[in-house]
Amino acid sequence: MTIFLHPSLRLSLIGALGVIASGHVQAHVTNWNLLDTATTVVGSGVNSDPCAGLTLCQSSANFTRYSWYDGTQAQLSDSHTVTTNAEAFTFHLTSDAYVTITDAAYGTNANRLNPAFSVYRGLLPALSHDGASPDESNPVDFNSPLFASKMSSTDHAPGDPNIAHYIDDGSGTGLIENPAWTQPFAGSGGLTAEQWYAANYIAHNGYRDTLNGTTTGGIDTDPSSGNFAGLLHPYLGQFDAFGNWSMNNANGEWGQIDYISSVSSTACNGQNCGETTTGGFTNPGHFEGNNGAIESLILHLAAGDYTIWAGGESGDSLDGIGGGCIGVNGGINLGCSAGAGNYRAAISLQINEVSSVPLPASIWLFGSALLGLLGFHRRDDHLERD
């Protein structure tokens, strides 16, 4: 079947793809070092800084209610809206240790943020951002008159055959289904291209099928959509709450951070939900959190660099800019005004040397519950003072 693109739509298509190619107007990633002895106060005008005078603690007033949650979805999330200034929280270990990470919301909006966070091994380059070439969020083929989707050059699955489901019909205005899509190809072990993509691209496995959109609904075949030949549901960005992800900066510095664990009331999905060994030791791939104002997690980590991405999970904004925000966890999270920014939270660490006696597996559950109780008391004190 041939699908035609009306010539009058091509200018609007070029304009739309130009926005995709250039990306949103963005800040660039800042890595706040939790080991800095001087507290950095991020943002202003939203309650007092809960990290003032403390070490192993950094706070931001730029958290959003929705974008960490968006990173749990197939379309992923724009890192620049996890906090409105794309803030990551990092630390370095010189030897293995048990690390307790706490993410606590503060101030008058504390009960509306519902904090959640993910922990990764590695660092992203400073000033990196979604959409920067060659690690684009939604790369397109500029040699095609249709600006059709193409395979990512940085995070495609190993052995990707680069076989598109739809190809140009030769006129430059329409698509036809690629005959190779339903045929086995060399080295596939007898799988057709369709079967290979379905088997090798699953949610949160660290790879993005930007050519065929296997996990995001496929290719847009509607000539009147303004997104013709692109992904039916384009990636919002590269932030993945449950998997590995990568970015680069304008200087061409590229980096990937590898998923270790997360804590949230949003259910985990993907291959990392059970246990992971990315941090050098076995850790829970996901810990079931709560709908409250504090989350905590205990991990056993080897020496190295680590990154925390934290945000809110109380609302969903699939356009990536705050519109269409809805409550997702109910209760204290109903309503969704001021969806972007104006939420204060603090990320803090406790680092303990490894003891000679291994900790039992139950310590993660007990430790998180205890920290939660203590954290609520601390937060109540801050709320009374605000």
Side-chain angles (χ1 to χ4, degrees):
M1 179 178 66
T2 300
I3 304 168
F4 293 99
L5 174 64
H6 193 280
S8 64
L9 294 172
R10 294 184 64 187
L11 288 178
S12 61
L13 173 63
I14 291 171
L17 288 172
V19 171
I20 294 173
S22 61
H24 300 296
V25 176
Q26 303 166 343
H28 301 315
V29 167
T30 299
N31 291 317
W32 296 112
N33 186 356
L34 289 160
L35 303 186
D36 281 349
T37 55
T39 298
T40 301
V41 180
V42 185
S44 61
V46 184
N47 308 107
S48 58
D49 178 22
C51 291
L54 301 178
T55 57
L56 303 182
C57 183
Q58 297 278 9
S59 78
S60 171
N62 300 314
F63 287 94
T64 70
R65 299 181 68 234
Y66 56 84
S67 206
W68 184 92
Y69 172 80
D70 280 359
T72 71
Q73 304 301 293
Q75 288 176 263
L76 307 180
S77 183
D78 186 338
S79 65
H80 305 85
T81 54
V82 182
T83 72
T84 56
N85 288 338
E87 294 151 347
F89 300 86
T90 66
F91 61 95
H92 178 80
L93 297 178
T94 57
S95 62
D96 62 303
Y98 288 99
V99 178
T100 302
I101 304 168
T102 302
D103 180 3
Y106 287 83
T108 54
N109 287 327
N111 284 342
R112 300 186 62 201
L113 177 63
N114 194 11
F117 63 89
S118 304
V119 185
Y120 307 85
R121 181 155 192 169
L123 302 173
L124 291 175
L127 302 181
S128 56
H129 59 93
D130 298 83
S133 178
D135 199 355
E136 300 99 331
S137 298
N138 298 285
V140 296
D141 181 6
F142 288 105
N143 293 318
S144 165
L146 296 175
F147 290 168
S149 293
K150 69 176 183 179
M151 183 178 72
S152 167
S153 62
T154 55
D155 57 5
H156 56 273
D160 191 318
N162 198 20
I163 297 174
H165 187 181
Y166 295 97
I167 57 176
D168 193 321
D169 66 357
S171 69
T173 61
L175 294 175
I176 58 172
E177 187 171 80
N178 187 355
W181 183 247
T182 55
Q183 299 297 317
F185 58 91
S188 71
L191 296 178
T192 67
E194 181 178 20
Q195 292 169 334
W196 191 93
Y197 279 94
N200 287 275
Y201 289 99
I202 59 176
H204 310 295
N205 72 342
Y207 306 111
R208 291 182 301 129
D209 177 15
T210 60
L211 175 64
N212 293 301
T214 302
T215 58
T216 60
I219 298 298
D220 190 341
T221 58
D222 179 5
S224 64
S225 69
N227 184 44
F228 185 55
L231 295 184
L232 185 63
H233 300 292
Y235 290 100
L236 298 177
Q238 279 134 276
F239 167 64
D240 192 331
F242 296 141
N244 304 345
W245 58 289
S246 61
M247 288 198 297
N248 62 269
N249 59 25
N251 295 327
E253 298 171 310
W254 181 87
Q256 175 175 294
I257 52 177
D258 298 324
Y259 178 87
I260 299 173
S261 186
S262 58
V263 57
S264 66
S265 53
T266 300
C268 180
N269 66 89
Q271 65 177 13
N272 300 314
C273 299
E275 292 181 340
T276 66
T277 56
T278 307
F281 298 94
T282 300
N283 285 295
H286 178 260
F287 193 89
E288 184 177 352
N290 59 72
N291 284 332
I294 187 170
E295 296 285 17
S296 59
L297 184 64
I298 299 175
L299 300 175
H300 186 190
L301 302 175
D305 292 311
Y306 297 91
T307 299
I308 301 164
W309 280 84
E313 59 170 330
S314 60
D316 176 22
S317 172
L318 288 180
D319 65 0
I321 56 174
C325 194
I326 59 174
V328 295
N329 290 318
I332 60 174
N333 304 308
L334 293 176
C336 205
S337 60
N342 298 322
Y343 292 91
R344 167 77 75 181
I347 311 298
S348 58
L349 293 181
Q350 180 180 335
I351 301 174
N352 296 313
E353 294 182 0
V354 175
S355 65
S356 58
V357 179
L359 293 178
S362 59
I363 191 66
W364 278 273
L365 178 62
F366 173 76
S368 184
L370 179 60
L371 284 166
L373 290 173
L374 295 174
F376 273 119
H377 287 302
R378 292 200 308 271
R379 188 181 65 79
D380 289 341
D381 293 340
H382 278 279
L383 289 174
E384 290 175 3
R385 292 197 293 269
D386 286 337

